[in-house]
Amino acid sequence: MDDEWRAICDKFTNAQNLTDVESRKDPDNDPFRSKYKARELLREIYCSLKNFEEPPVDGQREDVFGQGFSGDSPAGLRAAKLGAVEYYLGVNHVDTEELSAGQEHLMNCMKLLERCRVSSENVSLFIHVRNQLGILWAGRDETETAQGFLETAESIYQRYMKEDGSPPTDMTEYFTTEEKLLTHQERTKRFELAYTHTMYYLAQVYKNLGETERAATYCHSTLQRQLQLNQFSPMEWALNAATLSQYYITKGRYMEGRHCLAAATVISGLAGEVPSEAAAQESETECERREQLRQKRAEIARCWIKYGLNLLQDAKKLLEDNIGELDSDRQEELKRARRREEEEEEKGRKSALLFGSEDTFDSIASLEEKVPCLLPLDFTEARAVFLVGQTYVTQAKEYFQMDGYVTDHIEILQDHSSMFRGLAFFEEDLERRCKMHKRRVDMLEPVCNDLNSQYYLMIRRQMMFELAETYNEMMDLKLTLANRQADTESLDNHTIKKFNSLCSASAKYFQMFLDSLCSPEGKSPEHLEEEVLRPALVARFRVARLHSQLISSVPTMQLDNLNRSLENYKYVVEYCDAHPEAVAAVETELELSREMAGLLPLKINRLKARMAENN
Amino acid sequence: SSQLAPSSDSNSIKVFVRVRPLTQGSGLTTDGDQNLCLTVTSPNTIRLLSKPEPRTFTYDHVADMDTSQDSVFSSVAKNIVESCVNGYNGTIFAYGQTGSGKTFTMLGPSELDNFTDELRGVIPRSFEYIFFLINREVERSGQSKSFLCKCSFIEIYNEQIYDLLDTASASLFLRENIKKGLFVEGAVEKFVNSAAEAYMVLSTGWRNRRVASTSMNRESSRSHAVFTMTLESKESINEVVNIRMSQLNLVDLAGSERQKDTHTEGSRLKEASSINRSLMCLGQVIMALVDVSNGKNRHICYRDSKLTFLLRDSLGGNAKTYIIANVHPGSKCFGETLSTLHFAQRAKLIKNKAIINEDTQGNVK
């Protein structure tokens, strides 16, 4: 018996070794060689175990914490051992792409366990087998089934920790000799890790079920448990935290977002220094490490950029009046509300989610303090947010250079431009505001013109639209400034020239955008796709307005401009008449277009009459 | 103008599902399994005999076991090849479990050298058709139009890119250029003048692919293979030279059953778990594309897998794309078939998205 048992233990160790170590060295054309060998050993173990006498049974099965064999009874231990072999066979089959067979073995394990009560001897197996079944079913897109297994695993863990909590036996210990049993510390670590995996799988399951809030909570728990158990690779952890921050940002929860980002930055620091270029040229591993660290830190920087950008944009949305200007009454009201909140907060510190281990907690907190997380309410506050964002723009661009990373680089430029736009909203000096928009044009225009239109169609469309709008904005600002000095009729030549050039530039980019929607033969589409419907109609509307705004003293040019204008207003009206479903998307623009399409012909006729008179 | 845009019908990805016949004596473990888990109920619906209720899936086209190679080509590739010659980018993917007939569909029977065989697949037929169209265009234009055709063939294995036309080379990098778009730096490009030459390039590379035997299947591709044909047309009309570039990507994905890697974590299976990261990310990207975000600006830290990055234009971009989802009808393959059908359905939802950051207020005065 003793020898026989020793043989079983040896076989098990061997199978584990084949699965975990040897299998990595298997050749490409025979990738599962070691796994197949391990499978044979497991089968042998199973047969040997089966041959051992079945102990007498007493008690009926019920729920897992109720009746059944107690875990440390002979029958309970036998079931656990057989169950463990079934479990390993199951995992083995899943690994070798025989999912149905794998499922069968895992279910056998479940059946064996069903007869036992949860105890420190078998609780680990209870959790592991459910984790595996969860993975298996999630892989088949049967998410609810997976959810069932994983949620049961979760509740078994919680109940066990509440009712017992002693470091449970690890499954590998079923097949080890006395002297090789694990320490309590090691047992706890393995058990907690299995449960961490349950959390991680549940996070994915909830994501797949569309329960994002819940998924985010489980992501957070997974990350925090990893930190506590000291089971993580710093860069990977940091990227996960940074990604999670993006979830909070989209929900407008900036305090949580900031916390995730600060944690990401601190933990990514644990990955060490970026190897120098010289070191990278010396060795391939250093080269790869350099690439990895630079890239991932740049990714985290980009998450910070989005943080700043959204903060500015949300503040703008909150503060703008119906013509998009800063509403100062609202500003005052919000400032008062904030002062009240701050007083409240003194009494009880807000409980936000928290990351950190003993070593990292302070660093995370101190980084957090340097970045605002409240919506900025005036220029000074907006500027502070902008500057944080801009620092990260510089950092991200160092890695994502145009040559090699076109799409990423442009995306960063677009964010930078949007941040300028957010900041400009708070700027009261119109000259300076105009200069901010000029900065946006300077960063986008050359790139937009250089981009290959076939490969970067989508990005170009976005950029053309943004440039058009920026020029439009600048034109409006110039006009407002000029009007402060004089009325439109008496604008000086220089101002008129400036105004017209901004006006034409805006119209040009709107037109380029519209052209990009045309067929290769230059025909504009009869039906506008949903995604471009509003932008396309708005672009038409703007082109119409811009042409009617161009200042010219030459009647023929005036006439041309008015005709172009009319043509575009008519397009909007006619398109909406032909496609009633489009009306909802452009209600305001449509109303104005109808009005203008009615008025412009009168104006055109008057002009024509005047021209005829003068001839 | 050389500016191109997709026409309105090209925006969604089309999906073609093909059911392979049952096999006998091929050494597959699915041999002898005469129980079917699905039926083709119409030219665009398939019913999966799931429990408790059978489920029906709808696609652009569903082909049953008797469908000929020629009819697959006509439905899937003909149109894409035509648009390619007219300057659009096009992509054809083959997706499915190992042993479900991807290679047969794309290439034809293995070890096929005679490419006039009735059983030749989508790829050789596409080559023939491309050169037929090219020759016709050149003739029609009275030699004022000329074409240049180059091929490259790469493999993505373990998230590394290898050149199948130059096996001695180390792994390659993906890069982007403002003028050239996305490209694999250093990949060999072979000029070809006929379908036969293109086929030569393909079969040379095909032999270099990483293939493995498992008990599940006799032969299973461990890598994604991407064959790219770049067409450049030059037309001189009245001293003006008009140049158009387009790409046809033919992609054979690694067996979809290895999606399990989505959930493995830690170092336990590091080697094995990264084999198919590309495929896993492909699914994720699709989810992300389908997912309607609330208009907020966000950044997702994870770089696309090499495969999705390379094919970005084909997944919701500026290209015509067809996915051929191959399924095995045997009841033993139920799980994998279900997962393939789910994947194919998600793929249908991808749309060409142009997000315009537009100011909705402010300028209307």
Side-chain angles (χ1 to χ4, degrees):
Chain A
M1 170 72 189
D2 228 22
D3 279 349
E4 203 180 334
W5 182 244
R6 202 165 287 277
I8 289 180
C9 292
D10 286 346
K11 267 184 195 164
F12 181 79
T13 315
N14 207 349
Q16 291 282 88
N17 186 50
L18 282 165
T19 308
D20 297 339
V21 184
E22 289 300 314
S23 69
R24 292 188 207 172
K25 299 176 216 153
D26 287 343
D28 283 348
N29 60 359
D30 194 3
F32 299 141
R33 193 170 62 190
S34 305
K35 298 250 165 100
Y36 292 150
K37 280 189 203 158
R39 182 189 296 181
E40 283 319 306
L41 291 175
L42 289 167
R43 279 187 181 146
E44 286 170 32
I45 296 173
Y46 188 83
C47 289
S48 311
L49 284 180
K50 257 299 200 214
N51 289 336
F52 290 163
E53 203 184 329
E54 191 153 358
V57 182
D58 57 309
Q60 297 287 313
R61 73 176 179 87
E62 239 187 69
D63 81 288
V64 291
F65 280 91
Q67 300 200 330
F69 306 151
S70 89
D72 60 353
S73 69
L77 283 173
R78 185 175 186 272
K81 280 177 189 168
L82 279 172
V85 181
E86 290 282 11
Y87 167 81
Y88 284 114
L89 277 169
V91 173
N92 180 287
H93 281 84
V94 171
D95 282 350
T96 55
E97 296 161 14
E98 291 161 65
L99 298 185
S100 309
Q103 181 194 345
E104 210 175 304
H105 284 294
L106 293 171
M107 287 314 288
N108 288 342
C109 172
M110 291 279 288
K111 266 186 219 124
L112 285 158
L113 288 178
E114 258 174 23
R115 299 154 61 195
C116 304
R117 277 200 298 275
V118 171
S119 73
S120 76
E121 283 77 17
N122 59 25
V123 64
S124 182
L125 185 57
F126 266 93
I127 306 239
H128 271 103
V129 70
R130 286 178 173 82
N131 277 354
Q132 287 299 328
L133 282 163
I135 295 169
L136 182 81
W137 284 102
R140 291 173 172 165
D141 272 349
E142 295 283 315
T143 316
E144 278 89 356
T145 314
Q147 180 190 11
F149 285 115
L150 294 167
E151 283 178 350
T152 313
E154 184 185 25
S155 64
I156 289 174
Y157 171 88
Q158 280 164 350
R159 187 150 169 198
Y160 176 79
M161 291 311 277
K162 208 171 116 203
E163 294 181 1
D164 186 328
S166 61
T169 311
D170 187 69
M171 288 131 60
T172 56
E173 292 183 278
Y174 295 158
F175 306 102
T176 46
T177 41
E178 198 85 23
E179 64 274 15
K180 284 190 193 157
L181 291 178
L182 300 172
T183 61
H184 278 195
Q185 201 188 2
E186 182 62 24
R187 280 184 175 178
T188 305
K189 195 178 126 192
R190 291 194 188 187
F191 183 56
E192 293 298 330
L193 207 58
Y195 180 63
T196 306
H197 283 195
T198 309
M199 300 274 93
Y200 169 61
Y201 301 138
L202 274 172
Q204 299 174 56
V205 160
Y206 291 135
K207 185 208 110 206
N208 292 343
L209 290 170
E211 297 185 38
T212 47
E213 176 93 42
R214 220 164 160 192
T217 313
Y218 278 83
C219 285
H220 174 250
S221 310
T222 308
L223 286 171
Q224 175 56 16
R225 291 180 61 86
Q226 280 185 294
L227 267 193
Q228 275 170 342
L229 294 169
N230 200 16
Q231 288 286 320
F232 62 94
S233 94
M235 275 333 286
E236 199 183 305
W237 194 96
L239 281 191
N240 287 332
T243 308
L244 188 57
S245 77
Q246 303 299 289
Y247 167 78
Y248 290 113
I249 290 170
T250 56
K251 297 276 167 201
R253 289 158 65 177
Y254 291 102
M255 193 190 286
E256 283 92 340
R258 179 180 68 172
H259 186 71
C260 290
L261 284 168
T265 301
V266 168
I267 302 294
S268 80
L270 302 180
E273 292 285 316
V274 176
S276 68
E277 221 171 328
Q281 271 162 3
E282 290 287 301
S283 99
E284 206 169 299
T285 42
E286 285 300 277
C287 178
E288 200 167 298
R289 214 172 92 81
R290 180 180 153 84
E291 170 75 14
Q292 285 287 320
L293 288 178
R294 290 184 67 216
Q295 184 216 316
K296 289 177 176 165
R297 287 189 178 143
E299 300 274 8
I300 295 171
R302 290 178 68 182
C303 289
W304 275 113
I305 296 173
K306 298 291 186 190
Y307 173 84
L309 175 60
N310 281 290
L311 208 50
L312 284 169
Q313 285 178 340
D314 274 3
K316 175 172 182 274
K317 237 177 264 165
L318 203 62
L319 286 166
E320 70 192 350
D321 58 19
N322 56 5
I323 56 157
E325 288 294 320
L326 186 76
D327 183 334
S328 52
D329 291 343
R330 188 139 179 80
Q331 185 181 29
E332 278 313 308
E333 183 191 320
L334 286 167
K335 280 188 169 179
R336 276 197 302 276
R338 186 198 285 176
R339 276 194 293 273
R340 274 200 306 277
E341 259 170 50
E342 274 165 0
E343 281 161 23
E344 295 277 309
E345 215 178 309
E346 286 300 303
K347 292 170 200 159
R349 234 183 100 76
K350 257 190 196 166
S351 58
L353 87 169
L354 292 177
F355 278 130
S357 60
E358 278 174 40
D359 306 331
T360 55
F361 198 87
D362 291 342
S363 330
I364 295 173
S366 78
L367 178 58
E368 260 184 302
E369 274 169 27
K370 293 185 190 128
V371 184
C373 80
L374 296 177
L375 295 180
L377 296 179
D378 56 31
F379 183 76
T380 319
E381 289 177 358
R383 188 167 168 275
V385 174
F386 174 85
L387 288 176
V388 171
Q390 187 163 256
T391 312
Y392 286 111
V393 165
T394 315
Q395 228 179 75
K397 280 204 293 196
E398 264 169 43
Y399 179 80
F400 292 112
Q401 293 173 9
M402 183 68 92
D403 185 26
Y405 299 96
V406 176
T407 313
D408 295 283
H409 188 88
I410 292 176
E411 214 173 277
I412 296 166
L413 291 183
Q414 286 176 315
D415 284 347
H416 197 188
S417 162
S418 302
M419 284 201 296
F420 262 118
R421 182 162 179 248
L423 181 65
F425 169 77
F426 290 93
E427 175 61 70
E428 282 164 40
D429 181 337
L430 298 192
E431 279 291 352
R432 285 177 48 185
R433 202 195 282 189
C434 209
K435 283 194 180 117
M436 288 181 192
H437 290 304
K438 183 71 174 55
R439 292 283 297 273
R440 300 173 61 201
V441 167
D442 290 345
M443 64 174 85
L444 299 178
E445 195 160 41
V447 179
C448 180
N449 292 330
D450 266 3
L451 269 182
N452 179 316
S453 57
Q454 188 178 2
Y455 293 112
Y456 297 104
L457 177 72
M458 299 304 151
I459 300 179
R460 278 195 83 225
R461 278 187 189 161
Q462 291 175 1
M463 293 179 98
M464 291 184 289
F465 208 94
E466 185 163 353
L467 280 165
E469 296 230 299
T470 313
Y471 274 120
N472 203 49
E473 183 107 4
M474 288 168 73
M475 182 194 86
D476 285 340
L477 287 169
K478 281 279 168 232
L479 193 62
T480 312
L481 277 168
N483 282 342
R484 279 186 189 170
Q485 285 148 9
D487 59 279
T488 332
E489 302 304 320
S490 57
L491 290 179
D492 63 88
N493 268 343
H494 175 74
T495 310
I496 290 176
K497 227 175 128 188
K498 183 85 204 159
F499 174 84
N500 276 346
S501 92
L502 291 170
C503 195
S504 316
S506 180
K508 178 183 94 180
Y509 282 108
F510 276 126
Q511 195 56 53
M512 272 167 74
F513 169 75
L514 290 168
D515 290 343
S516 84
L517 302 172
C518 295
S519 72
E521 293 76 35
K523 248 184 73 191
S524 87
E526 270 170 37
H527 175 81
L528 294 163
E529 287 288 310
E530 200 191 327
E531 291 86 0
V532 294
L533 174 70
R534 175 161 169 86
L537 291 176
V538 168
R540 288 279 187 173
F541 174 76
R542 298 281 165 80
V543 170
R545 277 186 71 236
L546 288 161
H547 277 97
S548 68
Q549 281 175 307
L550 276 169
I551 300 168
S552 170
S553 50
V554 184
T556 48
M557 273 173 78
Q558 280 177 15
L559 190 63
D560 276 353
N561 288 333
L562 289 178
N563 278 326
R564 284 280 304 268
S565 182
L566 179 61
E567 180 191 312
N568 281 289
Y569 281 128
K570 270 182 163 167
Y571 178 93
V572 176
V573 173
E574 280 160 16
Y575 187 89
C576 290
D577 286 345
H579 304 82
E581 74 281 359
V583 175
V586 284
E587 257 174 290
T588 322
E589 289 81 2
L590 178 61
E591 195 185 316
L592 287 166
S593 298
R594 277 197 204 287
E595 205 175 305
M596 292 308 290
L599 290 173
L600 269 183
L602 299 176
K603 199 170 173 186
I604 290 172
N605 286 338
R606 258 200 315 266
L607 181 64
K608 276 187 183 157
R610 223 169 46 226
M611 282 163 74
E613 244 169 64
N614 291 346
N615 269 337
Chain B
S1 133
S2 63
Q3 192 154 325
L4 293 166
S7 64
S8 56
D9 68 330
S10 69
N11 288 347
S12 66
I13 290 178
K14 291 208 159 62
V15 178
F16 184 101
V17 174
R18 186 184 201 186
V19 180
R20 70 161 292 163
L22 288 167
T23 37
Q24 281 290 305
S26 61
L28 301 182
T29 55
T30 46
D31 272 6
D33 173 14
Q34 290 302 328
N35 298 316
L36 299 188
C37 67
L38 53 82
T39 44
V40 176
T41 40
S42 84
N44 54 15
T45 53
I46 189 165
R47 181 186 293 146
L48 190 69
L49 306 172
S50 53
K51 282 167 195 149
E53 289 284 306
R55 279 193 243 180
T56 299
F57 294 83
T58 306
Y59 302 98
D60 295 285
H61 198 108
V62 176
D64 61 20
M65 298 181 201
D66 309 321
T67 305
S68 72
Q69 294 282 70
D70 186 53
S71 96
V72 176
F73 170 77
S74 303
S75 326
V76 171
K78 217 169 169 214
N79 187 266
I80 290 186
V81 170
E82 281 162 8
S83 358
C84 249
V85 174
N86 290 325
Y88 287 99
N89 292 339
T91 300
I92 301 167
F93 282 103
Y95 181 88
Q97 181 192 4
T98 311
S100 60
K102 291 197 302 282
T103 306
F104 179 79
T105 301
M106 292 301 272
L107 212 60
S110 49
E111 310 306 323
L112 179 76
D113 283 326
N114 167 19
F115 89 114
T116 53
D117 195 295
E118 215 13 70
L119 292 178
R120 68 194 188 280
V122 166
I123 294 179
R125 285 169 201 268
S126 298
F127 291 163
E128 291 154 31
Y129 194 48
I130 280 187
F131 283 98
F132 164 77
L133 291 174
I134 286 179
N135 293 336
R136 201 179 64 183
E137 284 281 301
V138 172
E139 226 166 85
R140 272 190 189 165
S141 72
Q143 311 293 321
S144 78
K145 201 168 184 178
S146 67
F147 283 85
L148 200 62
C149 188
K150 298 180 283 194
C151 301
S152 67
F153 198 8
I154 56 132
E155 155 182 73
I156 303 174
Y157 175 74
N158 257 340
E159 278 301 288
Q160 305 270 359
I161 301 176
Y162 299 97
D163 195 337
L164 288 171
L165 303 181
D166 175 15
T167 47
S169 76
S171 69
L172 304 174
F173 291 101
L174 270 176
R175 281 174 68 84
E176 268 185 298
N177 179 285
I178 199 162
K179 291 286 177 211
K180 284 201 287 182
L182 197 64
F183 63 101
V184 178
E185 197 174 34
V188 169
E189 289 186 303
K190 297 236 161 141
F191 287 94
V192 293
N193 292 305
S194 66
E197 280 181 37
Y199 196 71
M200 279 283 289
V201 174
L202 177 84
S203 47
T204 313
W206 198 269
R207 273 183 230 120
N208 294 325
R209 288 195 66 184
R210 275 152 233 258
V211 166
S213 301
T214 69
S215 78
M216 184 69 172
N217 290 288
R218 207 177 27 169
E219 217 176 56
S220 145
S221 46
R222 318 295 294 177
S223 68
H224 308 297
V226 183
F227 186 90
T228 304
M229 199 177 232
T230 310
L231 284 180
E232 191 182 313
S233 72
K234 222 185 226 176
E235 190 172 19
S236 343
I237 308 165
N238 311 327
E239 314 273 302
V240 181
V241 183
N242 198 352
I243 295 177
R244 277 185 183 180
M245 292 264 273
S246 60
Q247 271 187 359
L248 178 65
N249 293 306
L250 302 162
V251 187
D252 185 44
L253 296 172
S256 59
E257 64 279 9
R258 258 161 263 126
Q259 278 183 91
K260 68 180 173 64
D261 301 323
T262 317
H263 304 277
T264 47
E265 210 225 26
S267 58
R268 188 171 65 97
L269 278 172
K270 204 162 185 186
E271 183 74 39
S273 69
S274 60
I275 285 180
N276 256 35
R277 195 174 299 150
S278 300
L279 203 53
M280 161 199 130
C281 294
L282 187 64
Q284 281 185 339
V285 168
I286 288 173
M287 296 302 275
L289 287 171
V290 172
D291 184 18
V292 186
S293 83
N294 54 0
K296 287 262 178 138
N297 224 311
R298 64 194 160 90
H299 177 67
I300 300 301
C301 291
Y302 294 94
R303 312 283 295 151
D304 291 341
S305 77
K306 298 281 186 332
L307 179 72
T308 47
F309 197 62
L310 187 64
L311 300 170
R312 205 174 36 195
D313 277 350
S314 319
L315 296 167
N318 177 26
K320 299 201 176 207
T321 301
Y322 230 119
I323 290 180
I324 305 176
N326 289 91
V327 293
H328 192 294
S331 56
K332 278 192 184 170
C333 297
F334 174 81
E336 285 64 40
T337 297
L338 177 63
S339 128
T340 302
L341 292 175
H342 272 307
F343 174 91
Q345 213 156 51
R346 284 203 300 268
K348 278 257 17 124
L349 297 173
I350 299 177
K351 278 203 128 191
N352 192 339
K353 268 192 186 164
I355 299 146
I356 305 295
N357 301 310
E358 186 233 343
D359 187 4
T360 50
Q361 285 183 330
N363 285 319
V364 182
K365 280 178 199 159

